[in-house]
């Protein structure tokens, strides 16, 4: 089984721009979650989607948004980028049966 | 609110010695707890889930609801156990601890 695939692996953006990150979950997994990982704040939950519906949302500003498509693939978007948005963004998928999430390698976003 | 505390940021243990990584949680309901591990330059991966009561790579973790703890243990440390370990709480939404960097001294 292919793992969770995130694209792109690296991104450099300028303050004020927007960015879209993509995540392809493991085949058959319908739950997709996104996390932000930084040295200062650690791993923080952004949002979780199941069958195209956002079920849970973390404490992030409205500039952070996401969506899930009918094939379970997910995207997250960050608008009006700030320097503090520089982080590793992780996507994870779950089959909601065996519990526990499988993580992708992440997209490292650098805002300059 | 959910909270996970890992009190040790760094832990060094000699090879062959026992390992215990501490995790305490705060949650009003029935907790779902996990240990995740991140080896150098690798992705975060699930090590243990309390619901299955399994032993992976010699590691075990027991849920103690009275002490609200889910400590990770291994009787004899190996060099390949050096990694970052995260305790996590939740199902649809994971709350992670800050992690413990475990270094095994040869």
């Amino acid at each position: 089984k292919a793992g969770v695939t995130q694209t792109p692996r690296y991104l450099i953006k300028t303050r004020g721009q927007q960015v879209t990150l993509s995540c392809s979950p493991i085949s058959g997994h319908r739950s997709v979650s996104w996390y932000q990982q930084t040295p200062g704040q650690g791993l923080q939950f952004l949002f979780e989607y199941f069958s195209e519906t956002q079920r849970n949302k973390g404490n992030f500003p409205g500039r952070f948004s996401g969506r899930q498509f009918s094939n379970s693939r997910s995207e997250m978007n960050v608008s009006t980028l700030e320097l503090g948005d520089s982080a590793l963004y992780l996507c994870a998928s779950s089959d909601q049966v065996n519990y526990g999430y499988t993580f992708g390698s992440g997209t490292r976003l650098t805002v300059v | 609110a959910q909270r996970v505390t890992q009190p040790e940021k760094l832990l060094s243990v000699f090879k062959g010695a026992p390992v215990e990584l501490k995790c305490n949680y705060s949650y009003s309901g029935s907790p779902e707890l996990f240990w995740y591990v991140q080896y150098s330059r690798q992705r975060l991966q699930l090590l243990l889930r309390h619901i299955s009561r399994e032993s992976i790579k010699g590691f075990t973790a027991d849920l103690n609801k009275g002490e609200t703890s889910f400590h990770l243990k291994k009787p004899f440390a190996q060099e390949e156990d050096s990694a970052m370990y995260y305790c996590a709480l939740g199902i649809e939404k994971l709350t992670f601890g800050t992690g413990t960097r475990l270094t095994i001294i040869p």
Side-chain angles (χ1 to χ4, degrees):
Chain A
K1 250 185 183 178
V4 178
T5 304
Q6 292 188 245
T7 56
R9 290 293 306 275
Y10 303 93
L11 265 178
I12 300 176
K13 289 287 188 179
T14 305
R15 263 185 308 174
Q17 287 186 312
Q18 75 161 14
V19 67
T20 299
L21 312 181
S22 180
C23 172
S24 293
I26 290 174
S27 178
H29 285 193
R30 294 164 66 190
S31 173
V32 174
S33 292
W34 289 88
Y35 292 82
Q36 182 195 64
Q37 186 175 26
T38 59
Q41 300 297 319
L43 283 152
Q44 293 188 289
F45 172 78
L46 280 155
F47 24 67
E48 187 254 351
Y49 288 87
F50 183 80
S51 292
E52 302 179 66
T53 300
Q54 186 182 89
R55 288 197 300 192
N56 292 279
K57 190 177 192 307
N59 296 323
F60 279 81
R63 301 185 295 105
F64 291 81
S65 63
R67 59 178 176 167
Q68 186 181 33
F69 302 96
S70 58
N71 62 358
S72 293
R73 192 177 70 83
S74 178
E75 289 181 347
M76 68 163 279
N77 184 277
V78 187
S79 62
T80 320
L81 283 165
E82 300 177 0
L83 295 179
D85 298 333
S86 294
L88 181 66
Y89 289 88
L90 296 171
C91 170
S93 73
S94 170
D95 63 6
Q96 297 278 284
V97 174
N98 295 312
Y99 294 100
Y101 276 90
T102 300
F103 282 80
S105 297
T107 294
R108 184 162 298 281
L109 172 65
T110 303
V111 182
V112 297
Chain B
Q2 300 179 178
R3 191 165 65 229
V4 175
T5 303
Q6 293 180 251
E8 303 136 330
K9 288 189 73 171
L10 302 169
L11 183 64
S12 295
V13 173
F14 283 101
K15 179 182 172 181
V19 176
E20 183 178 47
L21 301 170
K22 292 184 168 52
C23 171
N24 288 90
Y25 67 91
S26 173
Y27 185 62
S28 56
S30 185
E32 298 293 344
L33 286 151
F34 307 88
W35 276 99
Y36 282 83
V37 61
Q38 191 166 31
Y39 299 102
S40 180
R41 298 191 196 88
Q42 294 188 28
R43 62 183 68 188
L44 196 61
Q45 52 188 283
L46 179 63
L47 180 63
L48 280 179
R49 65 199 101 195
H50 98 270
I51 196 170
S52 56
R53 302 183 65 81
E54 57 204 340
S55 173
I56 303 292
K57 298 185 180 182
F59 284 98
T60 58
D62 288 318
L63 175 61
N64 185 324
K65 290 187 178 180
E67 296 182 359
T68 60
S69 68
F70 188 57
H71 302 329
L72 183 68
K73 298 177 184 179
K74 184 171 182 176
F76 307 104
Q78 297 173 286
E79 288 184 60
E80 54 265 34
D81 296 330
S82 292
M84 193 73 177
Y85 291 80
Y86 293 94
C87 183
L89 168 68
I91 298 181
E92 297 165 358
K93 167 189 172 181
L94 288 173
T95 298
F96 283 90
T98 49
T100 298
R101 182 169 298 282
L102 175 65
T103 301
I104 306 302
I105 306 165

